[in-house]
Amino acid sequence: MEEISNKCSVAIVGAGASGLAACKHLLARGFHPVVFESGESTGGVWRRTLATTRLQTPASAYRFSDFPWPAAMAEEEDVFPRHDEVAAYLEAYAARFGVLDCVRFGCRVVAAEYVGVAEEEAAAWVRWSGNGEAFGDGRGEWVLTVQHRDSSEGTQIYKFDFVILCIGRYGAASIPSFPPTRGPEAFHGHLLHSMDYSSMDHADAAELIHGKRVAVVGSGKSAFDIVAQCAEANGSKYPCTMIYRSAQWMVDTGPVWGLNLQNLTTSRLSELMVHKPGEGLFLSVLATMLTPLRWLLWKLMETYYKRHTPMQRHGMVPSYSFSRSALACRLGILPERFYDQVDDGSIVLKRCDPSFSFCANGLVLDGTGDRVDADVVIFATGYQADRQLREIFVSPWFSKIVGETSDATVPLYRRCVHPRIPQMAIIGYTESAANIYPYEMMAKWVAHLLDGAFRLPAILQMERSVAEWACWGRNMRHCSGNYFRKSCVGTVTTWYNDQLCRDMGYGPRKKKGFLAEWLQPYGPTDYADIK
């Protein structure tokens, strides 16, 4: 058993974007965290992607506040970096701020147990960690069980005063269920999930699909990317079939009716048009009054995409509006030449209504009886976002309360700490247009908390705040026709950042001048002054 010698020792689990940001800001405040990373390099999901994967947002929006992209890329606002460029950017960030020296690669945290305080006592606490301090009163600590990939010792035990989980939302695949004898066991070909396909070496992935009949199940971003990659590899000789239940909004990059979409959706003015958690009566009434304007703006965008993308001709117009998609964080970037590949026969689109089943040589669409012959079937059916988080806790109580509600991905105060789980923060379970942006703000907030810059309110007050966000999430889900992503803060990112700024003792207004404050888009560089 290894005990870290620092009086206030901190462990970070995961060296993706959120883990790197957490480590950087803790180092800046005098801590010396230990980062456990199961892989052999930094970057998280950006090290496990398709060869063709690119950012969904421009480089100018996907960056850390104090670390620009290379000059040639930063100068162009419409650059969408490749996955390897993103991974290189994250590694350069880690090297620049000394984060790499803190990372222990090949170390998977398989269990986390809070010891020193009985659960009954912790459940009765009025203040977080017992006294409202990040590190509690010194009795409680976290015991991590770590599996070392290259060690003959198997697992080792480490003790820390505080733990930050940055394990991400993409570690547990979601696979649909099937009736007996009609599931994957009936299929004689190769079956895998997009998570496994993306994790393959690019050469091995190319070999897997080359000269094969491939069927991809799903209609999200990963499904579109995989289908386009298969079509590029095999052409019309072995067309790739996309099997989908409902179409989703996949749009082209570039201006919409000559306007920058990012500028339209990331200003304070745009946030006045949507309801926000804990907004009060005046802002609530104002958002309701401005709803027609928001609808009109998004209707103009919907009209543009329908006119400039041949989705109607191919039966790929979603059943829900663009407005609902924007509210729900369900917009994706269409792969280049996707519909050209449909036109030339390299891609076949098949809607399954209501379901499909397996046969020896492929799939059967239950609604029509159509058969899709396939040598390889790839499930692009999403992830069980909370499972990996729930399973890391030894305590059944912690595991239960961290995933007890369907209204939010994880019921966290400020989207960072659970009111009833002491001496632990969780970063990376919130989605926005550019996820690296909220991750860094969370990392700054947690670093300030650990350094004593502010204290958390009473547990009941934190739970009321969590309930406000949960109520907002239910309302957003209703407005978006049940398409709302539980972790999405995309339409209220600036509102959320305002709360973090006030906690840390910084003013939330970052622009110079009244008009600039309300009309200019907000982005990562606006928060560079928060160290």
Side-chain angles (χ1 to χ4, degrees):
M1 178 181 296
E2 178 180 341
E3 293 196 31
I4 304 303
S5 60
N6 292 3
K7 181 180 178 181
C8 295
S9 54
V10 182
I12 299 171
V13 184
S18 56
L20 299 180
C23 185
K24 184 264 186 185
H25 288 285
L26 285 175
L27 286 171
R29 291 189 161 260
F31 292 92
H32 299 282
V34 175
V35 183
F36 294 106
E37 166 56 43
S38 61
E40 298 301 328
S41 59
T42 61
V45 294
W46 290 106
R47 296 291 185 181
R48 305 184 299 274
T49 66
L50 304 177
T52 56
T53 298
R54 287 182 174 271
L55 268 178
Q56 295 287 284
T57 50
S60 58
Y62 192 95
R63 54 160 289 182
F64 295 107
S65 61
D66 56 357
F67 192 70
W69 285 84
M73 190 174 296
E75 290 173 359
E76 301 183 48
E77 293 186 359
D78 59 346
V79 170
F80 293 76
R82 300 187 311 270
H83 67 93
D84 56 318
E85 293 173 323
V86 178
Y89 171 77
L90 295 175
E91 187 164 4
Y93 173 84
R96 167 64 179 82
F97 295 108
V99 173
L100 290 177
D101 296 334
C102 302
V103 184
R104 301 185 183 185
F105 293 106
C107 296
R108 179 182 298 277
V109 177
V110 295
E113 182 177 14
Y114 186 68
V115 300
V117 179
E119 282 190 359
E120 294 78 8
E121 179 182 350
W125 279 340
V126 175
R127 300 195 66 87
W128 191 64
S129 295
N131 60 1
E133 303 290 342
F135 296 97
D137 61 8
R139 291 182 298 150
E141 61 184 354
W142 283 95
V143 176
L144 302 184
T145 303
V146 180
Q147 188 173 56
H148 295 261
R149 181 176 300 170
D150 299 325
S151 173
S152 59
E153 300 178 18
T155 61
Q156 288 184 298
I157 304 298
Y158 298 82
K159 291 184 177 181
F160 293 91
D161 299 310
F162 199 96
V163 172
I164 305 174
L165 296 181
C166 302
I167 57 179
R169 307 174 64 254
Y170 305 106
S174 177
I175 303 289
S177 57
F178 297 88
T181 73
R182 298 174 61 192
E185 70 278 359
F187 181 50
H188 293 172
H190 195 118
L191 176 68
L192 69 165
H193 190 272
S194 59
M195 179 180 73
D196 303 309
Y197 179 70
S198 299
S199 298
M200 295 176 66
D201 177 83
H202 291 164
D204 293 338
E207 183 179 353
L208 174 68
I209 64 173
H210 180 69
K212 306 284 180 56
R213 300 168 300 176
V214 181
V216 179
V217 180
S219 60
K221 175 59 180 171
S222 60
F224 271 80
D225 284 346
I226 294 171
V227 168
Q229 182 171 301
C230 292
E232 189 68 29
N234 292 325
S236 58
K237 183 176 181 180
Y238 298 100
C240 183
T241 304
M242 173 186 279
I243 298 173
Y244 66 99
R245 184 174 297 167
S246 59
Q248 297 190 30
W249 283 99
M250 302 293 294
V251 300
D252 292 318
T253 61
V256 178
W257 301 116
L259 300 174
N260 186 308
L261 181 60
Q262 182 188 352
N263 292 348
L264 288 174
T265 58
T266 58
S267 67
R268 285 194 183 276
L269 180 61
S270 68
E271 289 199 359
L272 287 179
M273 303 179 196
V274 297
H275 289 284
K276 298 165 282 292
E279 62 190 349
L281 179 61
F282 173 75
L283 290 178
S284 178
V285 171
L286 185 60
T288 300
M289 292 174 61
L290 293 175
T291 296
L293 177 58
R294 183 195 72 205
W295 179 88
L296 176 61
L297 289 174
W298 284 344
K299 191 65 177 179
L300 288 172
M301 296 180 196
E302 178 178 320
T303 303
Y304 175 88
Y305 288 124
K306 285 182 176 178
R307 180 173 296 184
H308 291 82
T309 307
M311 56 178 70
Q312 287 181 308
R313 179 158 55 88
H314 294 290
M316 292 293 285
V317 177
S319 59
Y320 55 100
S321 68
F322 184 85
S323 173
R324 287 185 169 184
S325 183
L327 283 173
C329 286
R330 287 186 177 270
L331 292 178
I333 301 299
L334 194 67
E336 292 183 12
R337 298 187 59 253
F338 181 85
Y339 285 110
D340 291 339
Q341 292 172 318
V342 176
D343 289 333
D344 68 22
S346 301
I347 294 174
V348 177
L349 303 172
K350 288 277 190 179
R351 187 189 295 268
C352 65
D353 186 15
S355 60
F356 69 93
S357 57
F358 283 89
C359 62
N361 298 318
L363 307 170
V364 177
L365 307 186
D366 297 336
T368 62
D370 289 351
R371 192 168 116 173
V372 177
D373 293 332
D375 304 303
V376 178
V377 173
I378 302 175
F379 279 120
T381 47
Y383 299 84
Q384 300 178 51
D386 305 344
R387 195 184 89 186
Q388 192 175 8
L389 180 62
R390 293 195 306 269
E391 292 179 350
I392 201 171
F393 291 105
V394 172
S395 164
W397 180 50
F398 285 171
S399 180
K400 177 183 177 182
I401 64 177
V402 83
E404 66 184 350
T405 174
S406 61
D407 298 332
T409 300
V410 183
L412 303 176
Y413 177 71
R414 296 294 193 253
R415 303 261 171 165
C416 291
V417 297
H418 193 288
R420 299 285 177 179
I421 301 181
Q423 296 166 234
M424 173 177 282
I426 300 171
I427 300 177
Y429 275 75
T430 293
E431 290 182 280
S432 187
N435 286 337
I436 199 172
Y437 172 22
Y439 293 171
E440 186 187 25
M441 287 298 292
M442 292 175 182
K444 292 180 178 183
W445 186 88
V446 171
H448 279 70
L449 172 65
L450 267 61
D451 201 28
F454 64 93
R455 295 182 69 193
L456 296 177
I459 286 177
L460 288 179
Q461 187 176 339
M462 288 197 289
E463 289 178 335
R464 282 196 291 270
S465 176
V466 171
E468 282 182 345
W469 280 86
C471 180
W472 171 79
R474 287 193 296 270
N475 292 336
M476 292 292 286
R477 190 164 180 80
H478 174 74
C479 292
S480 64
N482 290 330
Y483 291 103
F484 181 70
R485 291 187 188 275
K486 296 180 291 182
S487 55
C488 174
V489 297
T491 58
V492 294
T493 300
T494 305
W495 176 265
Y496 169 67
N497 287 337
D498 288 351
Q499 295 179 331
L500 302 186
C501 287
R502 293 189 186 99
D503 288 345
M504 292 185 283
Y506 291 85
R509 308 291 181 174
K510 301 297 181 182
K511 304 292 187 182
K512 294 182 179 180
F514 178 82
L515 290 178
E517 182 63 45
W518 288 99
L519 299 180
Q520 288 184 0
Y522 259 81
T525 56
D526 291 306
Y527 300 94
D529 65 314
I530 302 178
K531 303 299 182 182

